[in-house]
Amino acid sequence: MTAGLPVPLQRDGQPVERLYPGWQCNGRHPAPAGMEVLSLQHRHTGQEACWWLTPEGDILACHALALDKHWSQKIREAVAPALQQLSTTLLGRVTPLPAEACFPHEAMAPLTNLPHTARLQLLGLWFRSVSRSLLVLSPATLLDGEETSLELEAADATGQPFAPRFIRAMLETRPAGPHTLACSPFSGRIIRAELTMPTDRGVACRFSDERNGETFYLFWPGPAGQIDPQTAQQPLFYHPQGELLLGDGPLTPLVPIFLLSWFISNPNCIEELKHAHPFRLEDYGVGKASALWKDIALAPSSSQTDTQATTQEETGQNRTSFPFSSRHWGQSFFFEAGRTAGLPDRDRLTPQDHEKTTGAGHENHDEP
């Protein structure tokens, strides 16, 4: 058993003097609604937990979701104004964005000062009470079958926001730091991430489709602190305005909670959102058509890679942003843009095809 607790605690009128083996107390913190939180950690596994207490030291529950009806209601009422404002201001889409001075810093202080585990529990308690109509679906639900032209016309007429082909393209997106690109599930346009949000359970990117006025998030589970984890895993999709979560796995229902916690810890993101700009070709070095295919086809040496990475970082580019992070880009948007500009299509860019074409009666410009 561990040593005695540093604070007097009672449960059901009986004193609690020891913890289970391996567990230690990290501190006692004030919480909303006059409650307190005792944070705990396992010495060997690093696992974290917390107990919810009264100011007198009575243990109410070992998880916020286990609080009784009285205390659950009190704590939800205490945090509701600040969280509702935060959710409306940042989680969904509000135009124009508010000034950073309008962020409810003072109201958020009780949440900001909580241990991370306790904050996530409290956010989960509040979010569950306000999102009873939230729909959690597996991607397969929206991707069964191929849509026909008649079905697409019917979907447009009925106001259905998603076409399966757009969902498929979006789910091919992989994180590429601040320059992550995705196919919009609403319009099929290539759009750029407005925010890259590393959390302790993965990385999220926020996107807005200006054409439709819709905001959505993609979340890739992974190690803490990484903004471009090397993963082939499909992202989880969250659309706040449509109250829709799309994904498989136990973390899917928790994505809004991770996002809210990140916003609480990063109030300066409002200014970052205001300076975010939509996708532009020049941000990705497109414009030197003569060198474009050479850059893609030839793998640079390690020294060249380091030099190019330094140059890219100086210009605001991420080394993983080109070729682009969605295969849909390479298959459709890029080649369509090339055809529109009068460039040769993909099949005519190889020497073998050029020689075959020459033999068919065309002049060979490659030989003197």
Side-chain angles (χ1 to χ4, degrees):
M1 302 289 286
T2 63
L5 291 170
V7 292
L9 299 175
Q10 305 87 36
R11 184 160 195 166
D12 299 328
Q14 300 297 320
V16 177
E17 298 177 350
R18 295 182 181 273
L19 300 172
Y20 285 111
W23 286 93
Q24 62 186 13
C25 174
N26 281 345
R28 190 168 176 173
H29 311 269
M35 301 175 64
E36 294 187 351
V37 167
L38 185 70
S39 61
L40 308 166
Q41 187 175 33
H42 197 280
R43 290 197 305 270
H44 305 300
T45 66
Q47 183 180 358
E48 296 180 351
C50 61
W51 290 352
W52 296 85
L53 317 171
T54 66
E56 295 74 29
D58 294 322
I59 300 176
L60 298 170
C62 296
H63 197 289
L65 294 177
L67 289 168
D68 62 30
K69 183 177 181 180
H70 168 74
W71 285 102
S72 177
Q73 182 176 352
K74 284 191 64 174
I75 202 166
R76 288 200 312 268
E77 292 175 348
V79 301
L83 289 180
Q84 188 61 54
Q85 182 178 351
L86 178 70
S87 179
T88 303
T89 301
L90 290 179
L91 195 60
R93 178 156 184 81
V94 175
T95 305
L97 286 166
E100 186 174 347
C102 297
F103 189 88
H105 293 278
E106 186 175 346
M108 286 294 170
L111 290 170
T112 305
N113 298 328
L114 280 177
H116 183 68
T117 300
R119 185 199 303 167
L120 290 178
Q121 292 183 13
L122 191 51
L123 289 173
L125 175 66
W126 174 81
F127 190 78
R128 187 179 70 166
S129 67
V130 300
S131 60
R132 300 190 182 277
S133 59
L134 181 68
L135 187 61
V136 182
L137 296 176
S138 169
T141 305
L142 297 181
L143 299 180
D144 287 341
E146 292 288 340
E147 70 273 32
T148 65
S149 58
L150 291 177
E151 289 171 338
L152 287 175
E153 292 176 5
D156 292 339
T158 57
Q160 296 296 324
F162 305 118
R165 58 195 173 102
F166 293 160
I167 292 291
R168 289 190 186 93
M170 180 195 68
L171 293 179
E172 292 173 358
T173 305
R174 298 299 177 261
H179 296 286
T180 300
L181 299 179
C183 172
S184 169
F186 309 101
S187 65
R189 299 171 60 229
I190 299 299
I191 54 179
R192 173 179 172 170
E194 296 178 309
L195 286 176
T196 300
M197 309 162 65
T199 74
D200 65 325
R201 300 305 297 271
V203 59
C205 286
R206 171 185 163 125
F207 299 88
S208 289
D209 190 333
E210 298 294 336
R211 182 177 300 176
N212 297 69
E214 301 282 354
T215 293
F216 67 94
Y217 297 84
L218 296 179
F219 182 87
W220 293 266
Q226 294 189 14
I227 62 172
D228 53 352
Q230 300 301 313
T231 175
Q233 187 175 6
Q234 284 188 342
L236 309 176
F237 168 74
Y238 176 45
H239 179 217
Q241 292 143 294
E243 295 189 278
L244 174 66
L245 274 167
L246 197 65
D248 296 313
L251 290 183
T252 302
L254 301 178
V255 169
I257 298 168
F258 296 149
L259 298 177
L260 285 171
S261 180
W262 188 89
F263 281 128
I264 291 173
S265 301
N266 297 270
N268 59 326
C269 68
I270 295 178
E271 293 304 314
E272 187 175 349
L273 280 172
K274 288 183 176 180
H275 288 89
H277 59 78
F279 166 70
R280 298 183 304 200
L281 283 172
E282 55 267 31
D283 292 333
Y284 296 85
V286 177
K288 298 181 180 180
S290 60
L292 182 58
W293 293 104
K294 179 180 178 181
D295 291 341
I296 295 178
L298 299 179
S301 64
S302 58
S303 59
Q304 290 174 324
T305 302
D306 294 338
T307 303
Q308 291 174 358
T310 302
T311 304
Q312 288 174 335
E313 290 169 1
E314 290 174 354
T315 58
Q317 287 184 247
N318 183 282
R319 68 179 68 189
T320 61
S321 63
F322 189 85
F324 299 112
S325 55
S326 174
R327 185 162 54 89
H328 177 73
W329 164 265
Q331 292 178 335
S332 61
F333 190 93
F334 183 81
F335 291 108
E336 286 299 325
R339 293 189 187 101
T340 302
L343 297 177
D345 54 20
R346 184 171 17 185
D347 297 333
R348 295 178 57 196
L349 290 171
T350 61
Q352 295 86 346
D353 291 343
H354 185 77
E355 291 173 2
K356 293 177 183 177
T357 304
T358 303
H362 296 277
E363 182 180 356
N364 188 348
H365 295 283
D366 296 332
E367 297 179 1

PDB file of all heavy atoms in Angstrom, residues 293 335 338-339 342-349:
ATOM      1  N   TRP A 293       7.553  17.769 -63.043  1.00  0.00           N
ATOM      2  CA  TRP A 293       7.585  16.311 -63.119  1.00  0.00           C
ATOM      3  C   TRP A 293       8.935  15.758 -62.685  1.00  0.00           C
ATOM      4  O   TRP A 293       9.011  14.685 -62.104  1.00  0.00           O
ATOM      5  CB  TRP A 293       7.239  15.860 -64.523  1.00  0.00           C
ATOM      6  CG  TRP A 293       5.835  16.190 -64.831  1.00  0.00           C
ATOM      7  CD1 TRP A 293       5.360  17.190 -65.616  1.00  0.00           C
ATOM      8  CD2 TRP A 293       4.670  15.561 -64.283  1.00  0.00           C
ATOM      9  NE1 TRP A 293       3.993  17.218 -65.595  1.00  0.00           N
ATOM     10  CE2 TRP A 293       3.548  16.225 -64.802  1.00  0.00           C
ATOM     11  CE3 TRP A 293       4.487  14.481 -63.419  1.00  0.00           C
ATOM     12  CZ2 TRP A 293       2.250  15.852 -64.479  1.00  0.00           C
ATOM     13  CZ3 TRP A 293       3.198  14.109 -63.088  1.00  0.00           C
ATOM     14  CH2 TRP A 293       2.103  14.784 -63.615  1.00  0.00           C
ATOM     15  N   PHE A 335      -4.698  17.325 -62.954  1.00  0.00           N
ATOM     16  CA  PHE A 335      -4.715  17.032 -64.378  1.00  0.00           C
ATOM     17  C   PHE A 335      -5.807  17.795 -65.102  1.00  0.00           C
ATOM     18  O   PHE A 335      -5.655  18.153 -66.271  1.00  0.00           O
ATOM     19  CB  PHE A 335      -4.863  15.522 -64.585  1.00  0.00           C
ATOM     20  CG  PHE A 335      -3.629  14.770 -64.151  1.00  0.00           C
ATOM     21  CD1 PHE A 335      -3.653  14.001 -63.005  1.00  0.00           C
ATOM     22  CD2 PHE A 335      -2.444  14.863 -64.866  1.00  0.00           C
ATOM     23  CE1 PHE A 335      -2.517  13.335 -62.588  1.00  0.00           C
ATOM     24  CE2 PHE A 335      -1.317  14.193 -64.452  1.00  0.00           C
ATOM     25  CZ  PHE A 335      -1.346  13.427 -63.315  1.00  0.00           C
ATOM     26  N   GLY A 338      -4.296  21.048 -65.770  1.00  0.00           N
ATOM     27  CA  GLY A 338      -3.340  20.965 -66.854  1.00  0.00           C
ATOM     28  C   GLY A 338      -4.019  20.941 -68.205  1.00  0.00           C
ATOM     29  O   GLY A 338      -3.580  21.596 -69.153  1.00  0.00           O
ATOM     30  N   ARG A 339      -5.092  20.187 -68.307  1.00  0.00           N
ATOM     31  CA  ARG A 339      -5.802  20.146 -69.584  1.00  0.00           C
ATOM     32  C   ARG A 339      -6.399  21.497 -69.931  1.00  0.00           C
ATOM     33  O   ARG A 339      -6.387  21.929 -71.078  1.00  0.00           O
ATOM     34  CB  ARG A 339      -6.895  19.082 -69.516  1.00  0.00           C
ATOM     35  CG  ARG A 339      -6.378  17.652 -69.409  1.00  0.00           C
ATOM     36  CD  ARG A 339      -7.508  16.653 -69.567  1.00  0.00           C
ATOM     37  NE  ARG A 339      -7.031  15.307 -69.311  1.00  0.00           N
ATOM     38  CZ  ARG A 339      -7.209  14.656 -68.187  1.00  0.00           C
ATOM     39  NH1 ARG A 339      -7.878  15.238 -67.208  1.00  0.00           N
ATOM     40  NH2 ARG A 339      -6.756  13.434 -68.025  1.00  0.00           N
ATOM     41  N   GLY A 342      -3.953  23.667 -71.460  1.00  0.00           N
ATOM     42  CA  GLY A 342      -3.392  23.210 -72.723  1.00  0.00           C
ATOM     43  C   GLY A 342      -2.158  22.353 -72.577  1.00  0.00           C
ATOM     44  O   GLY A 342      -1.442  22.110 -73.556  1.00  0.00           O
ATOM     45  N   LEU A 343      -1.859  21.872 -71.339  1.00  0.00           N
ATOM     46  CA  LEU A 343      -0.709  21.014 -71.145  1.00  0.00           C
ATOM     47  C   LEU A 343      -1.026  19.610 -71.639  1.00  0.00           C
ATOM     48  O   LEU A 343      -2.192  19.209 -71.683  1.00  0.00           O
ATOM     49  CB  LEU A 343      -0.334  20.952 -69.664  1.00  0.00           C
ATOM     50  CG  LEU A 343       0.110  22.274 -69.030  1.00  0.00           C
ATOM     51  CD1 LEU A 343       0.364  22.077 -67.552  1.00  0.00           C
ATOM     52  CD2 LEU A 343       1.363  22.791 -69.719  1.00  0.00           C
ATOM     53  N   PRO A 344      -0.010  18.823 -72.019  1.00  0.00           N
ATOM     54  CA  PRO A 344      -0.275  17.444 -72.446  1.00  0.00           C
ATOM     55  C   PRO A 344      -0.826  16.643 -71.288  1.00  0.00           C
ATOM     56  O   PRO A 344      -0.520  16.915 -70.132  1.00  0.00           O
ATOM     57  CB  PRO A 344       1.111  16.944 -72.872  1.00  0.00           C
ATOM     58  CG  PRO A 344       2.077  17.809 -72.144  1.00  0.00           C
ATOM     59  CD  PRO A 344       1.426  19.170 -72.055  1.00  0.00           C
ATOM     60  N   ASP A 345      -1.672  15.654 -71.607  1.00  0.00           N
ATOM     61  CA  ASP A 345      -2.240  14.864 -70.546  1.00  0.00           C
ATOM     62  C   ASP A 345      -1.233  13.840 -70.055  1.00  0.00           C
ATOM     63  O   ASP A 345      -0.139  13.697 -70.572  1.00  0.00           O
ATOM     64  CB  ASP A 345      -3.557  14.193 -70.968  1.00  0.00           C
ATOM     65  CG  ASP A 345      -3.405  13.381 -72.234  1.00  0.00           C
ATOM     66  OD1 ASP A 345      -2.252  13.033 -72.544  1.00  0.00           O
ATOM     67  OD2 ASP A 345      -4.427  13.103 -72.891  1.00  0.00           O
ATOM     68  N   ARG A 346      -1.637  13.084 -69.024  1.00  0.00           N
ATOM     69  CA  ARG A 346      -0.733  12.224 -68.295  1.00  0.00           C
ATOM     70  C   ARG A 346      -0.067  11.172 -69.182  1.00  0.00           C
ATOM     71  O   ARG A 346       1.111  10.877 -69.048  1.00  0.00           O
ATOM     72  CB  ARG A 346      -1.545  11.566 -67.175  1.00  0.00           C
ATOM     73  CG  ARG A 346      -0.775  10.704 -66.251  1.00  0.00           C
ATOM     74  CD  ARG A 346      -1.603  10.264 -65.067  1.00  0.00           C
ATOM     75  NE  ARG A 346      -3.042  10.434 -65.279  1.00  0.00           N
ATOM     76  CZ  ARG A 346      -3.937  10.197 -64.331  1.00  0.00           C
ATOM     77  NH1 ARG A 346      -3.535   9.802 -63.160  1.00  0.00           N
ATOM     78  NH2 ARG A 346      -5.223  10.359 -64.564  1.00  0.00           N
ATOM     79  N   ASP A 347      -0.823  10.580 -70.121  1.00  0.00           N
ATOM     80  CA  ASP A 347      -0.309   9.481 -70.922  1.00  0.00           C
ATOM     81  C   ASP A 347       0.753   9.916 -71.913  1.00  0.00           C
ATOM     82  O   ASP A 347       1.493   9.092 -72.440  1.00  0.00           O
ATOM     83  CB  ASP A 347      -1.450   8.801 -71.678  1.00  0.00           C
ATOM     84  CG  ASP A 347      -2.447   8.174 -70.723  1.00  0.00           C
ATOM     85  OD1 ASP A 347      -2.001   7.822 -69.613  1.00  0.00           O
ATOM     86  OD2 ASP A 347      -3.625   8.037 -71.083  1.00  0.00           O
ATOM     87  N   ARG A 348       0.817  11.211 -72.223  1.00  0.00           N
ATOM     88  CA  ARG A 348       1.784  11.686 -73.218  1.00  0.00           C
ATOM     89  C   ARG A 348       3.058  12.206 -72.590  1.00  0.00           C
ATOM     90  O   ARG A 348       3.918  12.738 -73.261  1.00  0.00           O
ATOM     91  CB  ARG A 348       1.147  12.772 -74.066  1.00  0.00           C
ATOM     92  CG  ARG A 348      -0.032  12.257 -74.915  1.00  0.00           C
ATOM     93  CD  ARG A 348      -0.650  13.411 -75.690  1.00  0.00           C
ATOM     94  NE  ARG A 348       0.346  14.070 -76.538  1.00  0.00           N
ATOM     95  CZ  ARG A 348       0.140  15.282 -77.079  1.00  0.00           C
ATOM     96  NH1 ARG A 348      -0.980  15.934 -76.855  1.00  0.00           N
ATOM     97  NH2 ARG A 348       1.073  15.826 -77.846  1.00  0.00           N
ATOM     98  N   LEU A 349       3.186  12.089 -71.244  1.00  0.00           N
ATOM     99  CA  LEU A 349       4.355  12.641 -70.581  1.00  0.00           C
ATOM    100  C   LEU A 349       5.512  11.653 -70.499  1.00  0.00           C
ATOM    101  O   LEU A 349       6.582  11.996 -70.055  1.00  0.00           O
ATOM    102  CB  LEU A 349       3.982  13.105 -69.173  1.00  0.00           C
ATOM    103  CG  LEU A 349       3.077  14.341 -69.155  1.00  0.00           C
ATOM    104  CD1 LEU A 349       2.585  14.603 -67.756  1.00  0.00           C
ATOM    105  CD2 LEU A 349       3.822  15.548 -69.686  1.00  0.00           C
TER     106      LEU A 349
END
